[in-house]
Amino acid sequence: MSPLKVAIIGAGLGGLATALALRKQGIDAQIYEKAQNLLPVGAGLTLLPNGLKSLDAITPGIVESLKEAGSQAHRVNLKKSIGETIAQNNLSLQDNYGQPMLNIRWSRLQEMLVSYLPLDIIHLNHRCVNFEYLEDGVKIYFENDTTVKADLLIGADGINSVVRQVIVGDGSPRYAGRMSWRAVVEYGNEQLLDNESTFILGSNGKNFSFIDVGSGYIFWSAAALLLDESTSPSPTEVKSRVLEVFADWTEPVQSIVQTTPAIKIVERPIYDRPPLENWSKGRVTLLGDAAHPVVPVLGQGANMAFEDAWELGLYLQRSPNIEEALANYENSRIKRTQIIQARSAFQGSRSYDTDSDQFLGGIMEQAKMSQAEFDDWVYNYEPSMM
Ligand SMILES: Cc1cc2nc3c(=O)[nH]c(=O)nc-3n(C[C@H](O)[C@H](O)[C@H](O)COP(=O)(O)OP(=O)(O)OC[C@H]3O[C@@H](n4cnc5c(N)ncnc54)[C@H](O)[C@@H]3O)c2cc1C
């Protein structure tokens, strides 16, 4: 029998991890990506025990390589915008949950995931524009006038997912009232010690963090609650805006931004979507941000995508047919991701006008949990084995 043929739309972190998870099961997984090249994103990422355990289940040994490329956070400093230290927490995630908090450049993580895949399965310059259901699969249409037939289609095409629009049709994502700025830079400063992260908090939801991401780089990330979602017209104006929003903040905030080349600063309004009760239809499903985008306050977006990837591979291997595999995947993923969506919305000062009983149940459940209980629940995730 020929192997199952799966088309994954999107070569983001979710799509790449899914290709790895499926190919491990002997599935012929192919990725279709709209970009001309896999360009590095100017960002750093925090990987947490649940995501790292999933990645290690997908590709044993990858986490050891990621640890060498990134930085394992041993201490988190919390400060006020005037410089006063509120807390210094030594982290014991490795001891408590079997994996650390690992900070890494997005581009290194992407390179590492790609390095475990055959290059000819990533089809660049393939923007998916539509698909249709066939009796025994799916036919996918691309902007470059090509079509592909597959037994299963996975939309890993991010928050503006085209696949989601065909199966759910819920329109554009919603601005979460928050603007973000970020950059990865080489930076030497005695205020940032190796393997540390510093979070500085101010009024109006303003925050600025700088994080050691290994190999002599830091990732800085800033956010503020802003009603206006419009972005600045040029890199120079982006930089001036950050300096203005964080004027009078304690050092090294101003010096970090001052020494960052304007072109490296990414300004991005934050969007999210209310949770879904179902995200599969026929032989088509969603994964990662296409399924459950969140306001990035808990650092769980990519970590959840890695859990999705592992479980989708698992259910495709275990279930008698694709339809049952997708039903099992949804049953397992939706409640957990709804709770994380609810908690992220709550901590991101965001309320949803959703009347979903399941989602509201999720809110009630998470509202009862302390931060420590919530962390235990998220990080104790164990990818079940074949
Ligand atoms: C400021 C910020 C900080 C964050 N920090 C963290 C963190 O510390 N930890 C964490 O776990 N998460 C974090 N996240 C979230 C994380 O980045 C996302 O959850 C994760 O990248 C989602 O991966 P994905 O593959 O689902 O989607 P994406 O990364 O959006 O990838 C989607 C891919 O699909 C492609 N695509 C889109 N449309 C099409 C189409 N029609 N046809 C073909 N290809 C298409 C895109 O080009 C892209 O390559 C953060 C997010 C933000 C904004």
Side-chain angles (χ1 to χ4, degrees):
M1 211 172 71
S2 57
L4 200 64
K5 191 170 177 212
V6 176
I8 299 167
I9 307 299
L13 300 176
L16 293 170
T18 304
L20 285 167
L22 269 51
R23 293 185 77 83
K24 186 184 166 92
Q25 313 298 344
I27 294 171
D28 174 13
Q30 303 282 325
I31 304 179
Y32 300 90
E33 164 61 47
K34 70 178 180 184
Q36 315 261 349
N37 297 297
L38 290 183
L39 291 174
V41 174
L45 213 67
T46 299
L47 299 179
L48 291 158
N50 54 314
L52 289 171
K53 283 186 258 184
S54 304
L55 276 181
D56 217 37
I58 292 169
T59 305
I62 192 171
V63 170
E64 281 316 305
S65 309
L66 293 173
K67 284 177 182 169
E68 278 166 31
S71 153
Q72 296 180 50
H74 293 324
R75 191 150 74 159
V76 172
N77 307 305
L78 204 58
K79 292 186 173 193
K80 288 185 184 173
S81 59
I82 50 168
E84 187 189 329
T85 298
I86 306 168
Q88 284 191 316
N89 295 334
N90 292 322
L91 298 179
S92 45
L93 273 66
Q94 177 76 52
D95 293 342
N96 294 342
Y97 308 109
Q99 287 290 354
M101 174 189 280
L102 181 66
N103 295 308
I104 188 164
R105 279 177 290 152
W106 201 97
S107 55
R108 285 297 287 134
L109 175 59
Q110 180 193 43
E111 273 168 20
M112 204 79 81
L113 292 171
V114 169
S115 74
Y116 285 88
L117 286 168
L119 271 186
D120 62 355
I121 68 139
I122 304 177
H123 308 274
L124 298 170
N125 198 19
H126 275 69
R127 179 192 290 271
C128 170
V129 288
N130 205 349
F131 66 85
E132 67 176 298
Y133 290 100
L134 306 174
E135 211 160 289
D136 56 349
V138 188
K139 184 174 180 185
I140 304 141
Y141 293 85
F142 297 96
E143 197 179 50
N144 60 10
D145 288 336
T146 54
T147 57
V148 164
K149 282 188 191 169
D151 301 311
L152 164 65
L153 168 63
I154 300 169
D157 48 345
I159 191 166
N160 292 301
S161 168
V162 166
V163 179
R164 178 172 173 136
Q165 285 321 301
V166 179
I167 59 176
V168 182
D170 59 349
S172 303
R174 300 181 311 180
Y175 177 55
R178 181 181 285 259
M179 188 65 72
S180 73
W181 302 272
R182 56 203 164 118
V184 171
V185 285
E186 284 178 275
Y187 191 82
N189 185 304
E190 69 278 5
Q191 292 198 53
L192 180 72
L193 300 174
D194 285 352
N195 304 317
E196 288 200 1
S197 303
T198 297
F199 294 86
I200 308 179
L201 307 174
S203 55
N204 297 328
K206 281 189 211 171
N207 59 72
F208 191 101
S209 56
F210 47 101
I211 297 171
D212 175 19
V213 284
S215 315
Y217 289 87
I218 65 154
F219 169 51
W220 67 258
S221 170
L225 297 178
L226 289 181
L227 289 177
D228 183 2
E229 64 185 282
S230 46
T231 50
S232 313
S234 71
T236 321
E237 284 155 286
V238 170
K239 183 166 172 172
S240 307
R241 189 179 193 188
V242 189
L243 288 169
E244 196 183 312
V245 172
F246 294 93
D248 304 327
W249 275 46
T250 182
E251 279 299 348
V253 173
Q254 288 282 319
S255 60
I256 288 177
V257 181
Q258 284 287 9
T259 52
T260 304
I263 196 78
K264 286 198 170 176
I265 306 176
V266 179
E267 181 177 48
R268 184 167 151 182
I270 299 294
Y271 297 94
D272 69 355
R273 293 177 181 276
L276 294 174
E277 302 255 11
N278 303 95
W279 64 49
S280 307
K281 199 166 173 185
R283 289 179 166 206
V284 182
T285 194
L286 302 176
L287 182 141
D289 277 10
H292 43 66
V294 286
V295 178
V297 289
L298 300 175
Q300 278 296 329
N303 286 289
M304 280 193 286
F306 297 146
E307 293 179 4
D308 290 349
W310 168 255
E311 292 198 27
L312 185 52
L314 181 77
Y315 289 117
L316 283 169
Q317 195 261 349
R318 273 188 186 168
S319 312
N321 56 53
I322 293 178
E323 288 74 9
E324 266 188 60
L326 296 188
N328 290 331
Y329 162 66
E330 272 197 6
N331 281 343
S332 172
R333 297 304 303 153
I334 284 187
K335 185 154 186 235
R336 177 168 169 89
T337 54
Q338 281 195 338
I339 291 173
I340 296 173
Q341 279 184 289
R343 189 89 181 188
S344 301
F346 180 68
Q347 288 192 206
S349 312
R350 180 91 163 90
S351 67
Y352 288 121
D353 49 5
T354 175
D355 55 3
S356 149
D357 287 346
Q358 202 179 349
F359 174 64
L360 293 174
I363 288 189
M364 294 306 292
E365 199 157 325
Q366 68 85 27
K368 282 186 255 163
M369 283 190 226
S370 69
Q371 188 63 43
E373 286 170 328
F374 180 75
D375 288 349
D376 272 351
W377 175 76
V378 175
Y379 302 155
N380 271 323
Y381 174 85
E382 287 295 337
S384 59
M385 290 297 150
M386 300 294 159

